[in-house]
Amino acid sequence: MIVADRKPLEEILESIKDFDKIVLMGCGGCVTICFSGGAKSVELLASQIKIARKKQGKEIEIIECTPERQCEFEYIDPCKEKFESVPVVLSIACGVGVQTMNERHPDTITIPGLNTKFMGYPVEHALWEERCAGCGNCLLEWTGGVCPIARCAKKLLNGPCGGSSDGKCEVDKEIDCVWQIIYDRLKKLNKLENLTAVRKPKDWRTSTSAGQRKVEFKEAML
Amino acid sequence: MKSGSRLEKVLESGAFSVTAELGPPQNANVESVKKKAKHCIGNVEAANVTDNQTAIVRMSSIAAGVIALECGLEPVIQMVCRDRNRIAMQSDILGAAALGLKNLLCLSGDHQVFGNHPDAKGVYDIDSMQLIAMVKQMRDEKTFLCGDEIKECEPKFFIGAAANPFADPFEFRVMRLAKKIEAGADFIQTQCIFDIEKFEKWMKLVVAEGLHKKVYITAGLTPVRSERALKYMKNNVAGISVPDELIARMEKAKDKEEKMEEGIKICLETIEAVKNMEGVAGIHLMPIGWESVTPTILERAGLLPRPKV
């Protein structure tokens, strides 16, 4: 899932300071699950904004709305009447949702209320960790299903570096050394030979180095 | 001869080699490079010129290396993967060779969060293993990483790499050294050794695998002037092992003079210990911020004068 985190309230207030009426739009997808952009978060943020604006003596009207997904036309279009007459939508969906809104409804400005962080999953209740960097050429087959591109601070393919200590990364003792995890996993699988060959440099074209990427599913095209 | 560097010649001759370290300044002062080089000229085979170590912006290692060379000190150019992609690295490798530099040490590099531009984007297009292989490919196959031919004047470097016997997982450290040799490393400099016991354990595994016959392994040493430096490394630098016993020895020394003497003694004892270990081909001295101690230590260790090659 896509994991996002709410922007600081001050930054949000600054971005909507010129408006006295906004639509606050959440998303029923990933950000609902990571507690940052679902219907409950919409309700909470709306009250925080109203209280802050009341204190400033500049009251604001907020129309709340949370489509099932903000990243698909068929889910945002039915909300159109809510934001049609309003100049700005504050979106607490991921960056994809914000852009879907701007592209589909260009007469309304949609601004972000979240910082979109990564693809990951909850490793424990209310704690999400990054797992996939979307590099476009999955190598999990030989690493025992553990990704060094998403999880190594130096994106090493022949790790671990000399900064791996007691299972932790030199960058931050709160971060596990992913190469220690890979090593332990392959040892358990009796596949340490996967680490003996020198891995060649990665072709970053499948990642973000060669411009915007597209995925086509020809069979399903109309 | 792969590069014809002095370091290569000394190691080839079977003599015990000595290298040191020269950190370029955080400015464009030629004199400060020359001043630091003075402690090394004639006392060592070559000196590592660090590449923005600890991710703090400094004069480029190639530029400072050329200044050192002009003073009569052979440099080992350090190159890290943090700041340049494969295009810039190959370009700098050609440039360094054109300027007469002959030793290149390939490193991943200290992560940018430790330096003075923690907000920088780390590059890490290729890793240190791939950098070693790339320098070897340019030298031996006369091709660029992409396969294009280097039509003339291929860069001929004596290729160095680092090894850290004190990092985890310990069992993987010998395997990683074997990989660096397979990639093309000609010589190795280790992380600084305070924990002689652990280093010896690693060396025994290295020798058991016969790796010491495929690469020159030089032992990294950092003389210290105070217990503070040791404590700092123990608590803040990942992948360094500092026995409490050494800290206690430094604490026992009363004043500045005594502490300096104790630091030198510890270093001399370590030199003696590694010299007697099978497979150790030389030492690499890294007196961080205390470059002036280099000649004293080498003199007292009986490592001067350096052999003629």
Side-chain angles (χ1 to χ4, degrees):
Chain A
M1 58 182 283
I2 292 172
V3 182
D5 206 7
R6 215 186 75 192
K7 281 181 179 288
L9 186 61
E10 298 69 39
E11 189 183 334
I12 292 175
L13 290 171
E14 176 65 23
S15 68
I16 55 169
K17 69 175 189 312
D18 298 332
F19 306 102
D20 53 17
K21 186 177 180 184
I22 64 165
V23 169
L24 178 51
M25 189 186 278
C27 173
C30 309
V31 292
T32 294
I33 301 166
C34 67
F35 304 141
S36 54
K40 277 188 183 165
S41 305
V42 167
E43 204 184 318
L44 175 69
L45 179 59
S47 336
Q48 287 175 309
I49 294 172
K50 280 182 202 162
I51 292 166
R53 287 289 289 261
K54 201 166 184 179
K55 275 189 190 164
Q56 293 170 359
K58 285 165 66 184
E59 287 194 38
I60 185 167
E61 186 188 336
I62 300 177
I63 301 160
E64 297 175 23
C65 135
T66 304
E68 200 169 327
R69 282 205 285 279
Q70 210 183 105
C71 58
E72 282 190 69
F73 297 159
E74 64 178 287
Y75 293 107
I76 54 173
D77 287 352
C79 311
K80 201 177 173 193
E81 61 189 47
K82 291 201 175 174
F83 57 77
E84 219 166 21
S85 59
V86 183
V88 67
V89 172
L90 174 62
S91 160
I92 53 171
C94 71
V96 181
V98 176
Q99 294 185 66
T100 310
M101 276 294 292
N102 278 302
E103 284 173 44
R104 182 68 164 182
H105 301 289
D107 296 332
T108 304
I109 302 162
T110 303
I111 58 173
L114 297 186
N115 289 318
T116 307
K117 298 251 164 146
F118 52 77
M119 286 183 272
Y121 78 94
V123 291
E124 55 186 78
H125 182 67
L127 174 65
W128 287 264
E129 277 187 10
E130 183 169 14
R131 287 295 181 268
C132 178
C135 76
N137 189 4
C138 193
L139 46 73
L140 292 171
E141 185 272 324
W142 64 265
T143 59
V146 184
C147 185
I149 304 297
R151 298 176 67 182
C152 171
K154 298 177 182 174
K155 307 204 181 318
L156 303 180
L157 288 177
N158 291 287
C161 75
S164 177
S165 186
D166 296 326
K168 297 296 174 186
C169 171
E170 66 172 11
V171 165
D172 186 337
K173 283 179 185 159
E174 296 295 310
I175 301 173
D176 291 327
C177 169
V178 71
W179 275 101
Q180 174 80 56
I181 298 171
I182 293 170
Y183 179 84
D184 292 342
R185 176 103 176 110
L186 291 176
K187 193 174 176 186
K188 206 169 176 186
L189 295 171
N190 219 3
K191 285 207 158 177
L192 276 180
E193 74 267 17
N194 286 6
L195 300 184
T196 51
V198 177
R199 297 281 165 182
K200 295 253 162 34
K202 194 167 168 66
D203 180 346
W204 294 106
R205 281 175 297 188
T206 58
S207 182
T208 53
S209 287
Q212 185 207 305
R213 296 172 286 174
K214 289 181 187 184
V215 172
E216 254 180 26
F217 185 52
K218 286 214 171 84
E219 290 79 357
M221 278 185 152
L222 299 172
Chain B
M1 277 287 136
K2 288 166 173 163
S3 70
S5 74
R6 173 176 167 82
L7 178 60
E8 183 181 4
K9 285 178 191 161
V10 169
L11 286 167
E12 280 270 286
S13 77
F16 195 76
S17 76
V18 177
T19 48
E21 204 145 294
L22 192 162
Q26 294 181 58
N27 52 53
N29 189 351
V30 176
E31 293 311 313
S32 76
V33 178
K34 289 183 177 169
K35 200 173 149 195
K36 281 190 178 179
K38 263 187 197 151
H39 304 297
C40 297
I41 297 168
N43 295 329
V44 300
E45 271 57 82
N48 284 22
V49 184
T50 49
D51 180 7
N52 298 296
Q53 78 267 29
T54 63
I56 287 171
V57 178
R58 290 167 185 278
M59 185 190 291
S60 97
S61 59
I62 294 173
V66 170
I67 297 168
L69 186 65
E70 283 168 355
C71 302
L73 173 65
E74 179 173 293
V76 176
I77 302 303
Q78 290 196 357
M79 184 173 268
V80 304
C81 300
R82 180 192 58 225
D83 310 320
R84 278 167 286 191
N85 70 7
R86 62 192 80 180
I87 300 171
M89 285 174 134
Q90 290 178 99
S91 164
D92 279 348
I93 288 164
L94 293 179
L99 290 166
L101 308 175
K102 291 175 175 165
N103 307 301
L104 193 78
L105 186 79
C106 306
L107 306 165
S108 307
D110 298 318
H111 195 274
Q112 64 274 8
V113 296
F114 296 113
N116 59 357
H117 293 75
D119 48 352
K121 183 176 190 296
V123 178
Y124 300 111
D125 174 23
I126 61 175
D127 64 25
S128 61
M129 200 73 71
Q130 295 157 350
L131 173 57
I132 295 165
M134 186 170 81
V135 184
K136 183 182 161 67
Q137 182 186 339
M138 292 172 84
R139 181 189 70 194
D140 296 350
E141 292 169 34
K142 302 181 190 179
T143 54
F144 292 104
L145 186 59
C146 63
D148 287 356
E149 188 191 349
I150 302 173
K151 293 198 173 100
E152 57 176 340
C153 297
E154 72 279 8
K156 290 180 181 166
F157 281 101
F158 191 46
I159 305 170
N164 188 352
F166 311 105
D168 291 319
F170 180 74
E171 319 88 81
F172 183 69
R173 292 293 145 187
V174 177
M175 199 200 250
R176 185 160 160 85
L177 173 66
K179 270 180 94 163
K180 288 195 172 179
I181 296 168
E182 190 199 324
D186 300 311
F187 71 99
I188 298 290
Q189 292 174 343
T190 75
Q191 174 64 283
C192 45
I193 301 159
F194 296 107
D195 187 342
I196 298 176
E197 218 172 283
K198 196 163 185 185
F199 178 69
E200 189 162 26
K201 196 173 149 196
W202 179 79
M203 265 322 290
K204 279 188 175 149
L205 293 171
V206 169
V207 170
E209 294 285 326
L211 299 178
H212 63 304
K213 290 185 176 153
K214 299 178 181 169
V215 75
Y216 299 110
I217 296 166
T218 64
L221 301 165
T222 293
V224 291
R225 281 181 282 194
S226 69
E227 61 273 16
R228 225 181 46 217
L230 288 176
K231 281 180 185 164
Y232 178 83
M233 284 188 265
K234 188 181 176 87
N235 300 324
N236 298 296
V237 184
I240 288 193
S241 174
V242 182
D244 290 328
E245 177 204 328
L246 288 191
I247 296 173
R249 272 179 69 177
M250 291 303 287
E251 274 171 345
K252 232 178 172 180
K254 275 182 246 124
D255 51 20
K256 210 174 147 190
E257 295 296 308
E258 270 190 33
K259 283 185 195 293
M260 276 162 90
E261 179 56 26
E262 195 60 28
I264 292 171
K265 270 189 193 156
I266 291 171
C267 188
L268 291 170
E269 289 165 24
T270 317
I271 292 176
E272 208 43 43
V274 300
K275 254 174 100 175
N276 294 322
M277 282 180 207
E278 189 183 359
V280 177
I283 55 162
H284 175 61
L285 265 187
M286 299 173 272
I288 304 160
W290 193 19
E291 284 86 355
S292 59
V293 80
T294 300
T296 313
I297 287 176
L298 297 177
E299 184 70 57
R300 287 174 61 180
L303 290 167
L304 292 180
R306 301 304 311 145
K308 285 198 165 54
V309 285

